[in-house]
Amino acid sequence: MIKFFLMVNKQGQTRLSRYYEHVEINKRTMLEAEVIKNCLSRSKDQCSFVEYKDFKLVYRQYAALFIVVGINETENEMAVYELIHNFVEVLDKYFSRVVSEIEAV
Protein backbone atom coordinates (compact mmCIF):
# COMPACT_ATOMS: atom_id res chain seq x y z
CA MET A 1 0.00 0.00 0.00
CA ILE A 2 1.23 3.46 -0.86
CA LYS A 3 1.58 5.73 2.18
CA PHE A 4 2.65 8.94 0.46
CA PHE A 5 3.83 10.44 -2.83
CA LEU A 6 6.32 13.33 -3.01
CA MET A 7 7.82 15.39 -5.81
CA VAL A 8 10.92 17.26 -4.68
CA ASN A 9 13.52 19.40 -6.43
CA LYS A 10 17.29 19.10 -5.91
CA GLN A 11 17.25 21.93 -3.37
CA GLY A 12 15.00 19.80 -1.15
CA GLN A 13 11.84 21.82 -1.68
CA THR A 14 8.64 19.82 -1.85
CA ARG A 15 6.72 20.59 -5.03
CA LEU A 16 3.89 18.10 -4.55
CA SER A 17 2.86 15.91 -1.65
CA ARG A 18 -0.02 13.50 -1.34
CA TYR A 19 -0.65 11.37 1.74
CA TYR A 20 -2.86 8.28 1.68
CA GLU A 21 -2.81 7.82 5.46
CA HIS A 22 -3.51 10.49 8.04
CA VAL A 23 -0.35 12.28 9.14
CA GLU A 24 -0.48 15.45 11.23
CA ILE A 25 0.80 18.60 9.51
CA ASN A 26 3.74 19.13 11.88
CA LYS A 27 4.80 15.49 11.46
CA ARG A 28 4.53 15.79 7.68
CA THR A 29 7.17 18.50 7.53
CA MET A 30 9.53 16.48 9.72
CA LEU A 31 8.89 13.32 7.70
CA GLU A 32 9.42 15.11 4.39
CA ALA A 33 12.65 16.69 5.59
CA GLU A 34 14.06 13.34 6.72
CA VAL A 35 12.91 11.49 3.60
CA ILE A 36 14.30 14.17 1.28
CA LYS A 37 17.62 14.23 3.11
CA ASN A 38 17.79 10.44 2.93
CA CYS A 39 17.13 10.28 -0.83
CA LEU A 40 19.14 13.33 -1.93
CA SER A 41 22.24 12.15 -0.08
CA ARG A 42 22.42 8.92 -2.07
CA SER A 43 24.59 8.63 -5.17
CA LYS A 44 23.29 7.62 -8.59
CA ASP A 45 25.09 4.28 -8.22
CA GLN A 46 23.08 3.29 -5.16
CA CYS A 47 19.81 1.40 -5.20
CA SER A 48 16.57 3.41 -5.48
CA PHE A 49 14.94 1.44 -2.67
CA VAL A 50 15.59 2.52 0.92
CA GLU A 51 14.28 1.02 4.14
CA TYR A 52 13.17 3.85 6.39
CA LYS A 53 11.58 3.39 9.82
CA ASP A 54 8.57 1.09 9.41
CA PHE A 55 8.22 1.47 5.62
CA LYS A 56 10.24 1.59 2.40
CA LEU A 57 11.08 4.49 0.13
CA VAL A 58 11.15 4.07 -3.63
CA TYR A 59 12.51 7.05 -5.51
CA ARG A 60 13.47 7.97 -9.02
CA GLN A 61 15.37 11.00 -10.24
CA TYR A 62 14.55 12.90 -13.41
CA ALA A 63 17.24 15.62 -13.79
CA ALA A 64 16.47 18.12 -11.02
CA LEU A 65 13.29 16.39 -9.85
CA PHE A 66 13.00 13.50 -7.40
CA ILE A 67 9.82 11.50 -7.10
CA VAL A 68 9.61 9.60 -3.81
CA VAL A 69 6.94 7.07 -2.84
CA GLY A 70 6.58 5.66 0.66
CA ILE A 71 5.21 2.11 0.74
CA ASN A 72 4.58 -0.56 3.34
CA GLU A 73 6.76 -3.65 3.71
CA THR A 74 4.55 -5.92 1.59
CA GLU A 75 4.42 -3.75 -1.54
CA ASN A 76 6.48 -4.66 -4.60
CA GLU A 77 9.30 -2.12 -5.01
CA MET A 78 9.79 -2.76 -8.74
CA ALA A 79 6.10 -2.22 -9.43
CA VAL A 80 6.21 1.13 -7.64
CA TYR A 81 9.43 2.05 -9.47
CA GLU A 82 7.62 1.46 -12.79
CA LEU A 83 4.56 3.33 -11.49
CA ILE A 84 6.74 6.40 -10.99
CA HIS A 85 7.97 6.18 -14.59
CA ASN A 86 4.44 5.70 -15.90
CA PHE A 87 3.34 8.75 -13.92
CA VAL A 88 6.04 10.84 -15.60
CA GLU A 89 5.02 9.50 -19.02
CA VAL A 90 1.40 10.50 -18.36
CA LEU A 91 2.55 13.98 -17.38
CA ASP A 92 4.53 14.08 -20.62
CA LYS A 93 1.48 13.13 -22.70
CA TYR A 94 -0.81 15.55 -20.90
CA PHE A 95 1.48 18.57 -20.70
CA SER A 96 3.82 17.67 -23.63
CA ARG A 97 7.60 17.77 -23.45
CA VAL A 98 7.77 17.05 -19.70
CA VAL A 99 10.17 14.12 -20.06
CA SER A 100 12.39 15.84 -22.62
CA GLU A 101 12.63 18.98 -20.47
CA ILE A 102 13.29 16.99 -17.31
CA GLU A 103 15.97 14.85 -18.93
CA ALA A 104 17.56 17.82 -20.73
CA VAL A 105 18.34 19.68 -17.50
Side-chain angles (χ1 to χ4, degrees), residues 46-67:
Q46 290 180 301
C47 182
S48 295
F49 312 140
V50 181
E51 289 191 20
Y52 178 77
K53 294 189 179 182
D54 61 337
F55 53 90
K56 296 178 187 175
L57 302 174
V58 178
Y59 70 94
R60 199 159 182 169
Q61 181 181 3
Y62 292 91
L65 184 69
F66 283 82
I67 300 176

PDB file of all heavy atoms in Angstrom, residues 46-67:
ATOM      1  N   GLN A  46      23.763   4.041  -6.201  1.00  0.00           N
ATOM      2  CA  GLN A  46      23.085   3.292  -5.160  1.00  0.00           C
ATOM      3  C   GLN A  46      21.667   2.925  -5.581  1.00  0.00           C
ATOM      4  O   GLN A  46      21.069   3.559  -6.451  1.00  0.00           O
ATOM      5  CB  GLN A  46      23.049   4.104  -3.865  1.00  0.00           C
ATOM      6  CG  GLN A  46      24.411   4.256  -3.213  1.00  0.00           C
ATOM      7  CD  GLN A  46      24.339   5.057  -1.943  1.00  0.00           C
ATOM      8  OE1 GLN A  46      23.920   6.207  -1.967  1.00  0.00           O
ATOM      9  NE2 GLN A  46      24.746   4.448  -0.843  1.00  0.00           N
ATOM     10  N   CYS A  47      21.144   1.910  -4.924  1.00  0.00           N
ATOM     11  CA  CYS A  47      19.805   1.403  -5.205  1.00  0.00           C
ATOM     12  C   CYS A  47      18.744   2.474  -4.919  1.00  0.00           C
ATOM     13  O   CYS A  47      18.909   3.306  -4.033  1.00  0.00           O
ATOM     14  CB  CYS A  47      19.556   0.166  -4.343  1.00  0.00           C
ATOM     15  SG  CYS A  47      17.969  -0.597  -4.614  1.00  0.00           S
ATOM     16  N   SER A  48      17.655   2.446  -5.647  1.00  0.00           N
ATOM     17  CA  SER A  48      16.571   3.411  -5.482  1.00  0.00           C
ATOM     18  C   SER A  48      15.532   2.962  -4.467  1.00  0.00           C
ATOM     19  O   SER A  48      14.455   3.550  -4.385  1.00  0.00           O
ATOM     20  CB  SER A  48      15.883   3.651  -6.824  1.00  0.00           C
ATOM     21  OG  SER A  48      16.774   4.262  -7.715  1.00  0.00           O
ATOM     22  N   PHE A  49      15.828   1.922  -3.718  1.00  0.00           N
ATOM     23  CA  PHE A  49      14.936   1.438  -2.669  1.00  0.00           C
ATOM     24  C   PHE A  49      15.650   1.611  -1.335  1.00  0.00           C
ATOM     25  O   PHE A  49      16.781   1.167  -1.171  1.00  0.00           O
ATOM     26  CB  PHE A  49      14.585  -0.035  -2.860  1.00  0.00           C
ATOM     27  CG  PHE A  49      14.149  -0.379  -4.255  1.00  0.00           C
ATOM     28  CD1 PHE A  49      14.568  -1.552  -4.842  1.00  0.00           C
ATOM     29  CD2 PHE A  49      13.327   0.449  -4.985  1.00  0.00           C
ATOM     30  CE1 PHE A  49      14.173  -1.897  -6.123  1.00  0.00           C
ATOM     31  CE2 PHE A  49      12.930   0.126  -6.271  1.00  0.00           C
ATOM     32  CZ  PHE A  49      13.354  -1.054  -6.838  1.00  0.00           C
ATOM     33  N   VAL A  50      14.985   2.243  -0.382  1.00  0.00           N
ATOM     34  CA  VAL A  50      15.592   2.517   0.918  1.00  0.00           C
ATOM     35  C   VAL A  50      14.623   2.093   2.007  1.00  0.00           C
ATOM     36  O   VAL A  50      13.444   2.459   1.965  1.00  0.00           O
ATOM     37  CB  VAL A  50      15.898   4.023   1.082  1.00  0.00           C
ATOM     38  CG1 VAL A  50      16.546   4.305   2.423  1.00  0.00           C
ATOM     39  CG2 VAL A  50      16.739   4.538  -0.053  1.00  0.00           C
ATOM     40  N   GLU A  51      15.107   1.337   2.977  1.00  0.00           N
ATOM     41  CA  GLU A  51      14.282   1.022   4.141  1.00  0.00           C
ATOM     42  C   GLU A  51      14.372   2.186   5.103  1.00  0.00           C
ATOM     43  O   GLU A  51      15.465   2.635   5.448  1.00  0.00           O
ATOM     44  CB  GLU A  51      14.752  -0.271   4.782  1.00  0.00           C
ATOM     45  CG  GLU A  51      14.434  -1.473   3.936  1.00  0.00           C
ATOM     46  CD  GLU A  51      14.643  -2.782   4.677  1.00  0.00           C
ATOM     47  OE1 GLU A  51      14.657  -2.775   5.918  1.00  0.00           O
ATOM     48  OE2 GLU A  51      14.795  -3.787   3.981  1.00  0.00           O
ATOM     49  N   TYR A  52      13.228   2.675   5.523  1.00  0.00           N
ATOM     50  CA  TYR A  52      13.173   3.849   6.389  1.00  0.00           C
ATOM     51  C   TYR A  52      12.094   3.640   7.438  1.00  0.00           C
ATOM     52  O   TYR A  52      10.931   3.459   7.094  1.00  0.00           O
ATOM     53  CB  TYR A  52      12.884   5.091   5.546  1.00  0.00           C
ATOM     54  CG  TYR A  52      12.748   6.353   6.348  1.00  0.00           C
ATOM     55  CD1 TYR A  52      13.873   7.004   6.843  1.00  0.00           C
ATOM     56  CD2 TYR A  52      11.504   6.874   6.638  1.00  0.00           C
ATOM     57  CE1 TYR A  52      13.756   8.152   7.595  1.00  0.00           C
ATOM     58  CE2 TYR A  52      11.370   8.022   7.385  1.00  0.00           C
ATOM     59  CZ  TYR A  52      12.493   8.651   7.859  1.00  0.00           C
ATOM     60  OH  TYR A  52      12.365   9.791   8.612  1.00  0.00           O
ATOM     61  N   LYS A  53      12.485   3.628   8.687  1.00  0.00           N
ATOM     62  CA  LYS A  53      11.585   3.395   9.821  1.00  0.00           C
ATOM     63  C   LYS A  53      10.747   2.139   9.572  1.00  0.00           C
ATOM     64  O   LYS A  53      11.284   1.080   9.350  1.00  0.00           O
ATOM     65  CB  LYS A  53      10.734   4.622  10.104  1.00  0.00           C
ATOM     66  CG  LYS A  53      11.563   5.797  10.593  1.00  0.00           C
ATOM     67  CD  LYS A  53      10.707   6.917  11.080  1.00  0.00           C
ATOM     68  CE  LYS A  53      11.601   8.042  11.583  1.00  0.00           C
ATOM     69  NZ  LYS A  53      10.856   9.140  12.124  1.00  0.00           N
ATOM     70  N   ASP A  54       9.427   2.266   9.572  1.00  0.00           N
ATOM     71  CA  ASP A  54       8.565   1.089   9.412  1.00  0.00           C
ATOM     72  C   ASP A  54       8.027   0.946   7.986  1.00  0.00           C
ATOM     73  O   ASP A  54       7.053   0.233   7.758  1.00  0.00           O
ATOM     74  CB  ASP A  54       7.414   1.135  10.412  1.00  0.00           C
ATOM     75  CG  ASP A  54       6.515   2.347  10.227  1.00  0.00           C
ATOM     76  OD1 ASP A  54       6.989   3.341   9.650  1.00  0.00           O
ATOM     77  OD2 ASP A  54       5.352   2.293  10.661  1.00  0.00           O
ATOM     78  N   PHE A  55       8.642   1.613   7.020  1.00  0.00           N
ATOM     79  CA  PHE A  55       8.221   1.474   5.624  1.00  0.00           C
ATOM     80  C   PHE A  55       9.423   1.596   4.707  1.00  0.00           C
ATOM     81  O   PHE A  55      10.547   1.764   5.151  1.00  0.00           O
ATOM     82  CB  PHE A  55       7.135   2.498   5.262  1.00  0.00           C
ATOM     83  CG  PHE A  55       7.477   3.926   5.576  1.00  0.00           C
ATOM     84  CD1 PHE A  55       8.115   4.724   4.659  1.00  0.00           C
ATOM     85  CD2 PHE A  55       7.121   4.471   6.802  1.00  0.00           C
ATOM     86  CE1 PHE A  55       8.417   6.032   4.936  1.00  0.00           C
ATOM     87  CE2 PHE A  55       7.416   5.793   7.093  1.00  0.00           C
ATOM     88  CZ  PHE A  55       8.066   6.569   6.167  1.00  0.00           C
ATOM     89  N   LYS A  56       9.177   1.507   3.410  1.00  0.00           N
ATOM     90  CA  LYS A  56      10.238   1.595   2.405  1.00  0.00           C
ATOM     91  C   LYS A  56      10.025   2.834   1.549  1.00  0.00           C
ATOM     92  O   LYS A  56       8.897   3.264   1.336  1.00  0.00           O
ATOM     93  CB  LYS A  56      10.218   0.369   1.496  1.00  0.00           C
ATOM     94  CG  LYS A  56      10.511  -0.929   2.196  1.00  0.00           C
ATOM     95  CD  LYS A  56      10.418  -2.076   1.216  1.00  0.00           C
ATOM     96  CE  LYS A  56      10.539  -3.406   1.928  1.00  0.00           C
ATOM     97  NZ  LYS A  56      10.334  -4.526   1.019  1.00  0.00           N
ATOM     98  N   LEU A  57      11.120   3.378   1.063  1.00  0.00           N
ATOM     99  CA  LEU A  57      11.078   4.495   0.130  1.00  0.00           C
ATOM    100  C   LEU A  57      11.526   3.997  -1.233  1.00  0.00           C
ATOM    101  O   LEU A  57      12.530   3.303  -1.344  1.00  0.00           O
ATOM    102  CB  LEU A  57      12.016   5.612   0.574  1.00  0.00           C
ATOM    103  CG  LEU A  57      11.805   6.215   1.950  1.00  0.00           C
ATOM    104  CD1 LEU A  57      12.916   7.195   2.266  1.00  0.00           C
ATOM    105  CD2 LEU A  57      10.454   6.883   2.031  1.00  0.00           C
ATOM    106  N   VAL A  58      10.774   4.341  -2.246  1.00  0.00           N
ATOM    107  CA  VAL A  58      11.151   4.066  -3.630  1.00  0.00           C
ATOM    108  C   VAL A  58      11.224   5.427  -4.306  1.00  0.00           C
ATOM    109  O   VAL A  58      10.274   6.200  -4.250  1.00  0.00           O
ATOM    110  CB  VAL A  58      10.113   3.172  -4.341  1.00  0.00           C
ATOM    111  CG1 VAL A  58      10.509   2.942  -5.781  1.00  0.00           C
ATOM    112  CG2 VAL A  58       9.932   1.857  -3.604  1.00  0.00           C
ATOM    113  N   TYR A  59      12.378   5.743  -4.891  1.00  0.00           N
ATOM    114  CA  TYR A  59      12.513   7.051  -5.512  1.00  0.00           C
ATOM    115  C   TYR A  59      13.137   6.915  -6.891  1.00  0.00           C
ATOM    116  O   TYR A  59      13.778   5.928  -7.217  1.00  0.00           O
ATOM    117  CB  TYR A  59      13.335   8.003  -4.640  1.00  0.00           C
ATOM    118  CG  TYR A  59      14.800   7.675  -4.556  1.00  0.00           C
ATOM    119  CD1 TYR A  59      15.706   8.276  -5.411  1.00  0.00           C
ATOM    120  CD2 TYR A  59      15.273   6.758  -3.631  1.00  0.00           C
ATOM    121  CE1 TYR A  59      17.054   7.976  -5.348  1.00  0.00           C
ATOM    122  CE2 TYR A  59      16.608   6.453  -3.551  1.00  0.00           C
ATOM    123  CZ  TYR A  59      17.498   7.060  -4.405  1.00  0.00           C
ATOM    124  OH  TYR A  59      18.825   6.751  -4.344  1.00  0.00           O
ATOM    125  N   ARG A  60      12.904   7.925  -7.679  1.00  0.00           N
ATOM    126  CA  ARG A  60      13.467   7.973  -9.022  1.00  0.00           C
ATOM    127  C   ARG A  60      13.803   9.427  -9.327  1.00  0.00           C
ATOM    128  O   ARG A  60      13.026  10.321  -8.998  1.00  0.00           O
ATOM    129  CB  ARG A  60      12.452   7.431 -10.019  1.00  0.00           C
ATOM    130  CG  ARG A  60      13.051   7.018 -11.315  1.00  0.00           C
ATOM    131  CD  ARG A  60      12.144   6.045 -12.024  1.00  0.00           C
ATOM    132  NE  ARG A  60      12.796   5.647 -13.251  1.00  0.00           N
ATOM    133  CZ  ARG A  60      12.396   4.660 -14.003  1.00  0.00           C
ATOM    134  NH1 ARG A  60      11.344   3.949 -13.659  1.00  0.00           N
ATOM    135  NH2 ARG A  60      13.031   4.349 -15.106  1.00  0.00           N
ATOM    136  N   GLN A  61      14.939   9.644  -9.938  1.00  0.00           N
ATOM    137  CA  GLN A  61      15.368  11.003 -10.245  1.00  0.00           C
ATOM    138  C   GLN A  61      15.223  11.274 -11.731  1.00  0.00           C
ATOM    139  O   GLN A  61      15.625  10.479 -12.569  1.00  0.00           O
ATOM    140  CB  GLN A  61      16.825  11.214  -9.830  1.00  0.00           C
ATOM    141  CG  GLN A  61      17.324  12.599 -10.103  1.00  0.00           C
ATOM    142  CD  GLN A  61      18.768  12.807  -9.709  1.00  0.00           C
ATOM    143  OE1 GLN A  61      19.437  11.886  -9.269  1.00  0.00           O
ATOM    144  NE2 GLN A  61      19.243  14.018  -9.877  1.00  0.00           N
ATOM    145  N   TYR A  62      14.638  12.403 -12.044  1.00  0.00           N
ATOM    146  CA  TYR A  62      14.551  12.900 -13.414  1.00  0.00           C
ATOM    147  C   TYR A  62      15.186  14.286 -13.406  1.00  0.00           C
ATOM    148  O   TYR A  62      14.555  15.256 -13.001  1.00  0.00           O
ATOM    149  CB  TYR A  62      13.100  12.982 -13.884  1.00  0.00           C
ATOM    150  CG  TYR A  62      12.460  11.635 -14.057  1.00  0.00           C
ATOM    151  CD1 TYR A  62      11.777  11.028 -13.008  1.00  0.00           C
ATOM    152  CD2 TYR A  62      12.565  10.953 -15.253  1.00  0.00           C
ATOM    153  CE1 TYR A  62      11.192   9.779 -13.164  1.00  0.00           C
ATOM    154  CE2 TYR A  62      11.986   9.702 -15.421  1.00  0.00           C
ATOM    155  CZ  TYR A  62      11.308   9.129 -14.367  1.00  0.00           C
ATOM    156  OH  TYR A  62      10.734   7.905 -14.517  1.00  0.00           O
ATOM    157  N   ALA A  63      16.446  14.368 -13.788  1.00  0.00           N
ATOM    158  CA  ALA A  63      17.240  15.615 -13.790  1.00  0.00           C
ATOM    159  C   ALA A  63      17.177  16.264 -12.410  1.00  0.00           C
ATOM    160  O   ALA A  63      17.715  15.728 -11.467  1.00  0.00           O
ATOM    161  CB  ALA A  63      16.789  16.529 -14.892  1.00  0.00           C
ATOM    162  N   ALA A  64      16.510  17.395 -12.284  1.00  0.00           N
ATOM    163  CA  ALA A  64      16.469  18.124 -11.020  1.00  0.00           C
ATOM    164  C   ALA A  64      15.258  17.758 -10.164  1.00  0.00           C
ATOM    165  O   ALA A  64      15.010  18.370  -9.145  1.00  0.00           O
ATOM    166  CB  ALA A  64      16.466  19.614 -11.287  1.00  0.00           C
ATOM    167  N   LEU A  65      14.512  16.757 -10.559  1.00  0.00           N
ATOM    168  CA  LEU A  65      13.292  16.387  -9.855  1.00  0.00           C
ATOM    169  C   LEU A  65      13.398  14.970  -9.306  1.00  0.00           C
ATOM    170  O   LEU A  65      13.784  14.046 -10.014  1.00  0.00           O
ATOM    171  CB  LEU A  65      12.101  16.473 -10.817  1.00  0.00           C
ATOM    172  CG  LEU A  65      10.731  16.221 -10.231  1.00  0.00           C
ATOM    173  CD1 LEU A  65      10.349  17.371  -9.307  1.00  0.00           C
ATOM    174  CD2 LEU A  65       9.707  16.094 -11.346  1.00  0.00           C
ATOM    175  N   PHE A  66      13.067  14.816  -8.032  1.00  0.00           N
ATOM    176  CA  PHE A  66      13.000  13.504  -7.405  1.00  0.00           C
ATOM    177  C   PHE A  66      11.544  13.183  -7.120  1.00  0.00           C
ATOM    178  O   PHE A  66      10.804  14.032  -6.612  1.00  0.00           O
ATOM    179  CB  PHE A  66      13.746  13.495  -6.063  1.00  0.00           C
ATOM    180  CG  PHE A  66      15.234  13.437  -6.188  1.00  0.00           C
ATOM    181  CD1 PHE A  66      15.971  14.574  -6.424  1.00  0.00           C
ATOM    182  CD2 PHE A  66      15.895  12.234  -6.052  1.00  0.00           C
ATOM    183  CE1 PHE A  66      17.344  14.531  -6.537  1.00  0.00           C
ATOM    184  CE2 PHE A  66      17.268  12.166  -6.163  1.00  0.00           C
ATOM    185  CZ  PHE A  66      17.995  13.319  -6.403  1.00  0.00           C
ATOM    186  N   ILE A  67      11.148  11.976  -7.451  1.00  0.00           N
ATOM    187  CA  ILE A  67       9.819  11.496  -7.097  1.00  0.00           C
ATOM    188  C   ILE A  67      10.026  10.373  -6.090  1.00  0.00           C
ATOM    189  O   ILE A  67      10.733   9.409  -6.365  1.00  0.00           O
ATOM    190  CB  ILE A  67       9.041  11.017  -8.330  1.00  0.00           C
ATOM    191  CG1 ILE A  67       8.883  12.180  -9.310  1.00  0.00           C
ATOM    192  CG2 ILE A  67       7.688  10.450  -7.915  1.00  0.00           C
ATOM    193  CD1 ILE A  67       8.220  11.834 -10.610  1.00  0.00           C
TER     194      ILE A  67
END
